[in-house]
Amino acid sequence: MRFDVAIVGAGVVGCAIARELTRYRLTVALCEREVEVGLGTSKANSGIIHGGHRAPHGTLKAATEWRGNQLWSDMARDLPFGFARIGDLTVAFDDDDVAYLQRLLEQGRRRGVTGLEMWDAERLRREEPNLSQDIVAALHAPSSGVVNPYEACFALAESAVRNGLELRTETTVTGIERGADGFAIATDRGTLHARFVVNAAGVFGDELARMVGAEEAGLRFRKGEEYLLDKRLVGFVTRVTFPCPSPTSKGILVTPTYDGTLMVGPTATWSEADDITTTAAGAEEVFDGARRLVPGISERDCIAEFAGVRAVAADEDFTIGHTSVPGFLNVIGIQSPGLTAAPAIALDVIDLLAEAGLALEVRDDFVPTIDAPLRFAELDPDEQARAVRGDPRFGRIACRCELVTEGEVLDAIARGARTMDGVKFRTRAGMGRCQGGFCAWRCLRLLANSQDVDVSAITKRGGRSWIALPRRDDHAATEVEHA
Ligand SMILES: Cc1cc2nc3c(=O)[nH]c(=O)nc-3n(C[C@H](O)[C@H](O)[C@H](O)COP(=O)(O)OP(=O)(O)OC[C@H]3O[C@@H](n4cnc5c(N)ncnc54)[C@H](O)[C@@H]3O)c2cc1C
């Protein structure tokens, strides 16, 4: 089949572009090498929808940050994912920092960011009593928010599929050739044809551009380590808290996630595209930085850690636009604030495609919403009882820490979860204090039953990330299958 547009990469950027395109009478394909969408950098970040005042002046980051920030409200109205505008604080420890905050305030106001306000130390102590007593002032941005980024990717993709997107996961693009009437896109699962190709391949963006002979962005990779803290600290800090930044990083932040638990990080160190390791040095830097803002934070509260990799273009800005290969667009180098900017980037890409000759005929049957999954833990006791009466699977607990039921795990599977991470990031099963000690086996079995395979065939996140060993008598057969 020949598509009007093929997008490579189902991170938040590719998913947002795909969903926008399905508003028009077009055939659209989205290729993703991973087993599910959103498992690249879009899963492994701080989950902040930045206030809109922060990106450097005159950059594409600045042009898309505030617009993106505003568009998240529209997306959250239509799609079920965790999103809350909890506000952020940038804090000052000395006069130089205060001068920086003043510049940030003016920059934000020039961009039309609403609600920005300087707080003195007294106001800050009242609002956030657990922040360091050494802080002398803060800039408050109520427009800032937090999101569960993986839920947003799942919801964007589900909505796009509902509106006709052809989503091809576990499909790695291996070569692209431009012909007389479009592109032949070779994948490890056959060849696709499309008139236009959008390169949203994240850290592999340059690799993809090279395949077709388009300009690269000179990508380098900057890893960020993040550390999640125990529920004991829920409410200890209620707004995202930033120090004043360094030239390469926003610094170590303290972020109350959408679910309330605190996250601290990220670091910013040059790395390889696929280096998602956490390190002792990273942990030390993160906890030292976090304690400078919030002295009551301790390493001993850490329950989980992860790292994500930023794709950093040579000019440190986003690379969004036409290339020397007509019909092939680069949307790469989307480092922070790429999550924030994604919905605005998607609209800009639609304009670029139109400029390149794609006819945009609006559909009148586009369905903007998808059904919200039931969240048992968020129901009151009467609602919980009703849910169990309606379907006894909501009466069987799969994850005790996060109170996730078997019914929710099965719903996640019906919506496309095929791995343990797919279930975890859709339902929160495995995200609590015991980190899967109780629920892993239950989720494994439900996944295996739904795919009619042995539990040893189920992976954490695709590839060779199996979790359970095959039963002894199945061992030989399964080894052959895995090979
Ligand atoms: C530690 C950290 C913290 C951050 N915090 C924030 C924040 O708080 N707020 C914010 O706004 N931004 C933040 N960011 C930035 C944000 O995460 C990124 O800008 C955003 O996720 C980039 O999305 P993407 O879709 O471009 O890339 P990705 O999510 O990486 O998606 C690219 C996809 O392309 C796929 N792919 C690659 N090559 C191929 C191929 N050949 N064939 C098929 N598929 C392919 C990959 O598998 C991947 O899924 C942070 C980043 C990091 C690392």
Side-chain angles (χ1 to χ4, degrees), residues 81 103 108 149 158 211 222 225 284 296 342 356 367 370 384 391 393 410:
F81 57 81
R103 291 197 298 278
E158 193 178 329
M211 288 179 193
R222 206 155 47 213
E225 298 181 27
E284 194 179 331
V367 182
I370 54 174
Q384 288 181 336
D391 183 341
R393 293 173 305 178
L410 289 167

Side-chain angles (χ1 to χ4, degrees), residues 19-20 23 49 66-81 83 85 156 159 343-344 347 366 368-370:
R19 179 165 180 267
E20 277 311 313
R23 293 180 189 273
I49 300 309
W66 173 238
R67 276 192 297 135
N69 171 299
Q70 297 295 283
L71 289 164
W72 274 93
S73 294
D74 299 345
M75 288 201 317
R77 186 196 55 224
D78 289 341
L79 301 176
F81 57 81
F83 171 65
R85 288 196 189 274
L156 283 166
S159 165
L347 294 183
F366 175 79
T369 54
I370 54 174

Side-chain angles (χ1 to χ4, degrees), residues 171-472:
T171 302
T172 303
V173 172
T174 52
I176 307 177
E177 250 181 58
R178 179 156 168 84
D181 62 346
F183 296 87
I185 304 156
T187 79
D188 55 355
R189 297 192 168 211
T191 301
L192 269 83
H193 297 271
R195 257 186 84 201
F196 296 93
V197 176
V198 177
N199 173 8
V203 291
F204 299 105
D206 271 356
E207 200 174 283
L208 209 84
R210 255 193 314 276
M211 288 179 193
V212 71
E215 300 85 323
E216 298 168 33
L219 292 184
R220 291 185 299 157
F221 310 106
R222 206 155 47 213
K223 181 171 75 167
E225 298 181 27
E226 307 262 16
Y227 294 79
L228 274 156
L229 308 185
D230 187 73
K231 278 192 169 159
R232 179 182 84 78
L233 291 171
V234 168
F236 202 60
V237 176
T238 64
R239 297 171 179 86
V240 181
T241 304
F242 294 81
C244 289
S246 77
T248 54
S249 151
K250 296 187 174 75
I252 302 298
L253 331 175
V254 177
T255 304
T257 62
Y258 173 76
D259 298 300
T261 44
L262 294 187
M263 180 156 71
V264 291
T267 54
T269 48
W270 293 114
S271 71
E272 301 300 318
D274 57 356
D275 176 8
I276 50 169
T277 54
T278 52
T279 60
E284 194 179 331
E285 183 191 338
V286 166
F287 282 95
D288 285 351
R291 257 193 304 269
R292 184 168 172 252
L293 301 176
V294 185
I297 284 177
S298 150
E299 291 86 342
R300 294 171 65 178
D301 291 308
C302 178
I303 59 160
E305 55 201 64
F306 62 87
V309 182
R310 307 167 183 89
V312 180
D315 63 359
E316 290 274 342
D317 200 1
F318 297 162
T319 302
I320 302 172
H322 303 292
T323 64
S324 56
V325 180
F328 183 89
L329 268 61
N330 271 338
V331 189
I332 56 178
I334 311 297
Q335 55 163 310
S336 187
L339 176 66
T340 309
I345 293 175
L347 294 183
D348 289 353
V349 168
I350 306 288
D351 288 346
L352 288 167
L353 286 166
E355 232 172 68
L358 180 69
L360 297 175
E361 192 190 330
V362 176
R363 289 169 54 177
D364 50 19
D365 56 350
F366 175 79
V367 182
T369 54
I370 54 174
D371 294 337
L374 182 138
R375 294 258 181 260
F376 194 77
E378 291 168 13
L379 303 180
D380 66 35
D382 287 344
E383 291 169 327
Q384 288 181 336
R386 249 197 317 278
V388 176
R389 275 199 302 277
D391 183 341
R393 293 173 305 178
F394 290 113
R396 290 199 284 273
I397 301 300
C399 167
R400 282 198 298 219
C401 303
E402 299 293 318
L403 196 67
V404 179
T405 64
E406 202 175 292
E408 289 163 271
V409 175
L410 289 167
D411 178 54
I413 291 171
R415 286 168 185 260
R418 294 179 48 215
T419 61
M420 290 292 277
D421 274 0
V423 167
K424 172 175 166 180
F425 290 110
R426 281 177 175 85
T427 64
R428 294 191 58 75
M431 282 195 189
R433 185 175 287 167
C434 91
Q435 288 289 297
F438 178 80
C439 65
W441 174 244
R442 285 164 179 78
C443 294
L444 266 178
R445 269 211 331 244
L446 293 171
L447 278 162
N449 289 346
S450 72
Q451 293 170 33
D452 202 17
V453 294
D454 185 72
V455 287
S456 60
I458 300 299
T459 59
K460 175 166 163 47
R461 50 166 298 162
R464 301 171 63 82
S465 60
W466 304 293
I467 293 165
L469 284 172
R471 279 193 302 267
R472 205 172 277 256

Side-chain angles (χ1 to χ4, degrees), residues 51-97:
H53 55 312
R54 214 171 280 283
H57 180 65
T59 59
L60 277 175
K61 292 178 181 177
T64 48
E65 184 189 31
W66 173 238
R67 276 192 297 135
N69 171 299
Q70 297 295 283
L71 289 164
W72 274 93
S73 294
D74 299 345
M75 288 201 317
R77 186 196 55 224
D78 289 341
L79 301 176
F81 57 81
F83 171 65
R85 288 196 189 274
I86 61 172
D88 78 40
L89 293 165
T90 312
V91 299
F93 286 89
D94 55 30
D95 289 349
D96 286 348
D97 284 356

